């Protein structure tokens, strides 16, 4: 019997026609091995065509795109271009990966972390507005930017968030790093706000090995971002700088991979949605396991057609595990300090002295992760909310905190280096949530094996 290979969450997948190698070879053959060149230009043009196309109506957009070295760099430059600086506050979705929040601190600003709504798991618009009002009342000024996040590809309520942002005159930097190709009311995520962030890390919908991009409102904004991304050099025949810039442009080699990936992006989107549907079908009758799926809401377009309001790319499939569910090995978890990192940081860790924290996945969730690992299935907890991360709790165990109840029933926690508006949703989901493999190499047989393994793990 052939030994089963490990089933990973989402592995990079190259086109069968070898287009990635073709473009990379052209870069070597022409000696364009620098952070500019034909592949960078071509990749940006491909991305612009993709994000500007709206198949639900006849009005296409005219957004521009800058290819960058990472999605984190894109967040950084988007905030910088919105005028974020030292002493400012930026509202960011708390339920996210740290790349959404860390760039706020790069600029000397303070993250204001806003909790999630239950149906999408993304930023709660009502809590967002409550946070804005509270910040204005307490500081005398409004937050400098708003960063909603497409968690695991799920669209946020873009129209409501944009309505609130426009009401208070606050620019939006959409973090669609996990949501490349996801749409809200037919429109690609990342095209609603002033800027939109994309990621092409090795495990995303398409990859450039490492890289990202920033969707810009127009050519002027694109030029500004390109200037900042190339060390902010002024137009003199020598190197003169009137602002602090960064080395954030994508290399022509990586962009060649991206150009090849754009030939199969729609195939990837179709595959992820198919795998999600299979999980929904096979786990429907498994008691205690719930597959998170997009809200079943439709909207009518100008031409009379009805389309889904939410159209997720389902970058990863996420499930929740009821606390009452018993998993094999559950009594053995969190007994020993982990010696190796889990996930994308494997091999790069910071040693810890305790096997537990004050906010962690339930024991049955960790037991299922370990069980799946033994079955050669990569499964991960969902992101730990930023407001529960030690780095945003004053940076140390001694970080000072002030808490108060808000009129809505949510709570506001104020630390030295962050403020959070919490309704309990993201913390509750972190304790019960898990990510399952969906990537292009995940077959229907793999999904059936994964589901059977979950059943086998349950006592």
């Amino acid at each position: 019997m052939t030994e089963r290979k490990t089933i990973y969450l989402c592995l990079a997948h190259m086109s069968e026609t070898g287009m990635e190698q073709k473009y990379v070879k052209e870069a070597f053959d022409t000696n364009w091995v620098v952070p500019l060149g034909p592949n960078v230009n071509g990749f940006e043009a491909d991305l612009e065509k993709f994000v500007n196309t709206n198949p639900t109506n006849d009005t296409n957009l005219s957004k521009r795109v800058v290819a960058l070295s990472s999605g984190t760099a894109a967040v950084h430059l988007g905030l910088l271009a919105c005028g974020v600086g030292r002493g400012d506050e930026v509202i960011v979705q708390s339920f996210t990966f740290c790349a959404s929040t860390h760039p706020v601190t790069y600029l000397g600003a303070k993250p204001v972390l806003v909790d999630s709504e239950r149906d999408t798991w993304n930023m709660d618009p009502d809590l967002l507005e409550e946070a804005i009002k509270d910040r204005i009342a307490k500081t005398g000024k409004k937050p400098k930017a708003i960063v909603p996040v497409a968690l695991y590809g799920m669209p946020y309520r873009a129209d409501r968030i944009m309505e609130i942002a426009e009401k208070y005159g606050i620019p939006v930097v959409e973090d669609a790093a996990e949501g490349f190709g996801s749409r809200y009311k037919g429109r690609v995520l990342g095209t609603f706000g002033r800027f939109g962030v994309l990621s092409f890390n090795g495990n995303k919908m398409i990859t450039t090995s490492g890289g990202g991009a920033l969707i810009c409102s127009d050519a002027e904004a694109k030029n500004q971002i390109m200037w900042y991304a190339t060390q902010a050099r002024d137009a003199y025949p020598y190197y003169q700088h009137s602002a602090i810039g960064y080395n954030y442009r994508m290399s022509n080699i990586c962009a060649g991979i991206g150009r090849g990936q754009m030939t199969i992006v729609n195939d990837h989107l179709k595959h992820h949605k198919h795998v999600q549907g299979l999980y929904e079908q096979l786990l429907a009758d498994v008691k205690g396991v719930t597959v998170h799926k997009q809200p079943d809401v439709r909207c009518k377009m100008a031409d009379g057609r009805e389309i889904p309001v939410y159209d997720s790319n389902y970058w990863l499939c996420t499930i929740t595990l009821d606390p009452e569910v018993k998993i094999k090995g559950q009594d053995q978890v969190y007994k020993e300090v982990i010696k190796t990192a889990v996930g994308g940081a494997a091999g790069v860790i910071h040693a810890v002295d305790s096997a537990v924290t004050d906010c962690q996945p339930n024991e049955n969730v960790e037991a299922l992760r370990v069980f799946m690992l033994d079955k050669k299935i990569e499964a991960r907890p969902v992101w730990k909310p930023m407001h529960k991360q030690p780095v945003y709790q004053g940076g140390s165990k001694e970080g000072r905190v002030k808490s108060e109840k808000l009129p809505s029933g949510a709570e506001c926690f104020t630390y030295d280096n962050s403020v959070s508006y919490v309704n309990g949703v993201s913390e509750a989901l972190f304790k019960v949530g898990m990510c399952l493999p969906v990537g292009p190499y995940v077959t229907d047989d793999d999904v059936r094996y994964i589901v059977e393994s979950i059943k086998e793990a349950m006592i």
Side-chain angles (χ1 to χ4, degrees), residues 223 226-228 230-243:
N223 287 337
M226 289 177 65
W227 182 63
Y228 278 124
T230 50
Q231 301 288 20
R233 180 186 172 187
D234 293 335
Y236 291 96
Y238 43 86
Y239 287 86
Q240 178 157 312
H241 308 271
S242 56

Side-chain angles (χ1 to χ4, degrees), residues 7-52:
I7 306 172
Y8 292 100
L9 287 171
C10 187
L11 281 180
H13 170 262
M14 300 295 108
S15 63
E16 294 182 4
T17 55
M19 295 302 292
E20 295 86 356
Q21 294 183 52
K22 171 184 177 294
Y23 289 121
V24 170
K25 185 176 185 301
E26 285 180 1
F28 278 103
D29 290 345
T30 57
N31 205 31
W32 280 103
V33 290
V34 288
L36 76 165
N39 282 335
V40 175
N41 296 338
F43 186 41
E44 289 176 343
D46 290 342
L47 289 169
E48 287 173 357
K49 180 179 180 181
F50 182 84
V51 303
N52 285 321

Side-chain angles (χ1 to χ4, degrees), residues 126-169:
D126 293 333
L127 189 55
L128 164 64
E129 183 163 25
E130 187 171 24
I132 293 171
K133 291 178 178 179
D134 196 52
R135 297 324 297 158
I136 293 173
K138 288 175 177 172
T139 69
K141 63 179 184 178
K142 61 192 177 186
K144 204 75 172 184
I146 299 169
V147 184
V149 181
L151 194 71
Y152 301 112
M154 186 65 66
Y156 31 79
R157 290 173 59 188
D159 52 1
R160 179 71 178 121
I161 290 172
M162 290 305 302
E163 177 188 343
I164 294 168
E166 290 167 6
K167 177 180 178 180
Y168 294 93

Side-chain angles (χ1 to χ4, degrees), residues 223-280:
N223 287 337
Q224 181 189 27
I225 294 300
M226 289 177 65
W227 182 63
Y228 278 124
T230 50
Q231 301 288 20
R233 180 186 172 187
D234 293 335
Y236 291 96
Y238 43 86
Y239 287 86
Q240 178 157 312
H241 308 271
S242 56
I244 300 297
Y246 305 88
N247 184 17
Y248 277 170
R249 283 291 265 157
M250 180 181 286
S251 84
N252 199 54
I253 302 298
C254 291
I257 301 173
R259 291 183 74 184
Q261 289 279 281
M262 289 302 291
T263 66
I264 54 174
V265 59
N266 288 321
D267 294 334
H268 285 183
L269 288 165
K270 182 178 179 181
H271 173 84
H272 280 245
K273 293 175 184 180
H274 166 75
V275 172
Q276 167 74 18
L278 197 54
Y279 276 123
E280 291 179 16

Side-chain angles (χ1 to χ4, degrees), residues 26 54 100 103 123 150-151 180 340 380 391 418 422 435 450:
E26 285 180 1
N54 188 344
S100 307
M123 184 182 285
L151 194 71
F180 183 55
T340 58
R380 277 194 215 167
V391 71
S418 76
V422 179
C435 302
I450 291 167

